[in-house]
Amino acid sequence: MLVVDDHAVLRQGLAALLMDSGAAREVLHAGDQAAGLAHLLAHPDLDAVLLDLKLPDSEGLGAITAFANAAPTVPIIIVSASEDPADVRRALEMGALGYVPKSASPETLLSAVRLVLSGAIYVPPLMLDAEEAPGPMRVAC
């Protein structure tokens, strides 16, 4: 797996969580979009990308497009501080297969990763209260 976030502590924490839980055998780290894309291109066998929306060298949701274009078959899971339903909706519309707020529990993150790796889409519970939920998809809370 690949974790792309500009905060080293978060990257290392996510990597440790994924490794300790058995969800990943190896976790690559990148602190910005350019390094993340370089890892993605060098490792086309990645199971998933956990991607922050606020990176120093990208324009938020545009990073989703960059990663999706670079490796269309690698699932993208957004891990973001934003809990705005509009951000969730846009991320999913742009091709992310999961959206996990950084306020979520470790168990929720692991459940989201496992769900996405099984071929489903993870939509966070905060969307249940949103006025307009995303189109038809499998929701796990």
Side-chain angles (χ1 to χ4, degrees):
M1 286 197 201
L2 171 62
V3 176
V4 184
D5 193 291
D6 57 330
H7 295 97
V9 170
L10 183 73
R11 284 194 312 270
Q12 292 172 2
L14 285 175
L17 176 66
L18 293 165
M19 299 281 290
D20 290 348
S21 70
R25 289 178 310 191
E26 181 181 3
V27 180
L28 303 173
H29 304 235
D32 58 32
Q33 179 175 309
L37 289 170
H39 278 308
L40 185 60
L41 294 172
H43 302 277
D45 60 341
L46 288 171
D47 290 327
V49 174
L50 279 70
L51 178 64
D52 185 15
L53 291 180
K54 301 218 187 235
L55 298 170
D57 62 343
S58 73
E59 296 184 27
L61 294 165
I64 297 169
T65 303
F67 280 84
N69 288 341
T73 61
V74 177
I76 299 168
I77 302 167
I78 300 302
V79 180
S80 176
S82 173
E83 295 190 17
D84 182 345
D87 287 342
V88 177
R89 193 174 303 107
R90 293 249 349 256
L92 296 173
E93 289 170 355
M94 293 179 80
L97 296 180
Y99 191 106
V100 181
K102 288 182 179 177
S103 63
S105 70
E107 294 80 12
T108 298
L109 176 81
L110 291 171
S111 292
V113 168
R114 289 185 178 113
L115 187 70
V116 169
L117 292 178
S118 77
I121 296 171
Y122 177 80
V123 179
L126 67 94
M127 291 304 291
L128 297 175
D129 296 329
E131 287 182 24
E132 180 185 328
M137 31 183 90
R138 210 166 124 191
V139 178
C141 302

